[in-house]
Amino acid sequence: EQADNLQSELQKRGVPAKVYVGMRYWHPYTEEAIAQIKADQITRLAVIPLYPQYSISTSGSSLKLLDRLWQTDKSLQRIKRFTATSWYYRLGYIRAMGDLIHQKLQSFANPAQAHIFFSAHGVPKKYVTEYGDPYQVEMENSVDAIMQFMRREYQDYNAHTLAYQSRVGPVEWLKPYTEEAIIQLAKRGIKHLLVVPISFVSEHIETLQEIDVEYRHVAHEAGIEQFERVPALNSHPEFIADLAQLSMELLGQKSVAYV
């Protein structure tokens, strides 16, 4: 749906580009998307990871795969490739996130009392401390930019927290962990919680199961009375429009509009 909407938006802007979806762990796999790109004889390619914030384990992993494919296929080397490594700082992304949060705040009897809880996908701590992964800094900058926008645009001055979910294995991941942070907020007397899936641009198991079911249960057990969740960006018009703008900038159709 995002790809279809992005292609339509580009066509409206006079850019007859085709949009392809490539995934690492399910169909259409990246290799399948690249095969179709070759079959369509594409000569200029804008690569946009659907991770607003860069991590070596997400965007980095996907871009490394593309590098390997390019290195071993001479026909791909004839395609000019333009890549966005991260784009969390873009105004369109920030506006779309702020709009979704502000709308969901209205589901509380007193929106000003709701605590905004940003839950990001975690990464092992050593990625940041040993490997120089910028993910944590970019995530914190994302939250700061969104909250500043909401204060400026909507006069929403809610308190907020950033925590990290989805950890696996015995190693230490970025903290605070989402479930522990929810419990601590409840101990402080917070009763109204609005969860924002900050690193996810579409609905999947981390939003529909982990947040909506598991963390909701944790919150209610801890004493949170109202637990709401902001939808992922999905096909929010402002988000799609900004992806179109980003695509055009990468392809040289238009100069950078904002940072």
Side-chain angles (χ1 to χ4, degrees):
E1 181 181 301
Q2 289 171 335
D4 290 344
N5 288 350
L6 174 56
Q7 185 163 304
S8 295
E9 180 66 24
L10 286 167
Q11 290 173 351
K12 290 177 184 176
R13 297 173 180 226
V15 181
K18 293 185 178 181
V19 179
Y20 304 84
V21 175
M23 303 185 189
R24 289 302 310 278
Y25 306 113
W26 193 243
H27 299 287
Y29 289 110
T30 300
E31 293 86 346
E32 295 171 338
I34 294 300
Q36 188 60 54
I37 287 169
K38 288 172 58 177
D40 290 343
Q41 299 182 331
I42 296 299
T43 58
R44 297 167 60 80
L45 182 66
V47 179
I48 303 177
L50 285 180
Y51 306 101
Q53 304 83 14
Y54 178 90
S55 172
I56 57 178
S57 62
T58 55
S59 302
S61 175
S62 297
L63 296 176
K64 278 187 177 180
L65 172 58
L66 290 181
D67 288 340
R68 288 198 298 271
L69 294 174
W70 251 254
Q71 289 168 3
T72 57
D73 189 332
K74 289 186 177 180
S75 64
L76 287 178
Q77 294 170 15
R78 292 193 288 269
I79 300 175
K80 292 184 178 180
R81 182 162 49 118
F82 310 92
T83 302
T85 53
S86 64
W87 38 271
Y88 67 91
Y89 50 82
R90 295 180 62 84
L91 182 57
Y93 166 71
I94 293 167
R95 288 184 65 90
M97 289 296 298
D99 176 61
L100 288 172
I101 296 169
H102 178 73
Q103 287 185 41
K104 200 64 179 179
L105 277 174
Q106 309 318 306
S107 63
F108 293 86
N110 187 344
Q113 289 184 351
H115 190 98
I116 300 176
F117 188 99
F118 292 91
S119 187
H121 198 293
V123 299
K125 183 179 178 181
K126 67 179 181 181
Y127 286 12
V128 174
T129 58
E130 298 179 24
Y131 306 154
D133 195 332
Y135 181 72
Q136 185 177 19
V137 169
E138 293 194 359
M139 190 59 66
E140 292 171 355
N141 288 343
S142 290
V143 171
D144 288 345
I146 292 167
M147 292 306 300
Q148 289 172 13
F149 171 79
M150 292 183 63
R151 292 173 188 133
R152 182 175 66 251
E153 187 77 9
Y154 303 115
Q155 289 73 56
D156 290 332
Y157 295 94
N158 302 65
H160 69 279
T161 295
L162 169 62
Y164 297 89
Q165 66 179 86
S166 308
R167 76 184 190 278
V168 295
V171 301
E172 183 179 1
W173 284 46
L174 290 180
K175 293 182 178 180
Y177 300 141
T178 292
E179 63 272 29
E180 294 177 0
I182 290 173
I183 293 170
Q184 287 303 313
L185 287 173
K187 288 180 178 179
R188 286 171 43 193
I190 301 298
K191 298 296 183 183
H192 308 281
L193 202 65
L194 178 60
V195 180
V196 182
I198 181 64
S199 54
F200 308 115
V201 300
S202 59
E203 307 292 0
H204 44 56
I205 192 170
E206 279 97 344
T207 60
L208 301 173
Q209 171 65 27
E210 195 170 7
I211 295 178
D212 288 356
V213 177
E214 297 173 22
Y215 293 146
R216 183 185 301 274
H217 177 74
V218 169
H220 288 162
E221 287 290 303
I224 300 292
E225 295 176 358
Q226 186 174 1
F227 181 99
E228 304 289 345
R229 200 256 299 171
V230 174
L233 286 167
N234 297 314
S235 291
H236 189 288
E238 191 102 37
F239 172 52
I240 297 299
D242 197 46
L243 286 182
Q245 175 69 23
L246 175 57
S247 302
M248 294 170 67
E249 292 167 11
L250 290 171
L251 294 170
Q253 297 288 327
K254 191 173 284 190
S255 60
V256 175
Y258 38 69
V259 173

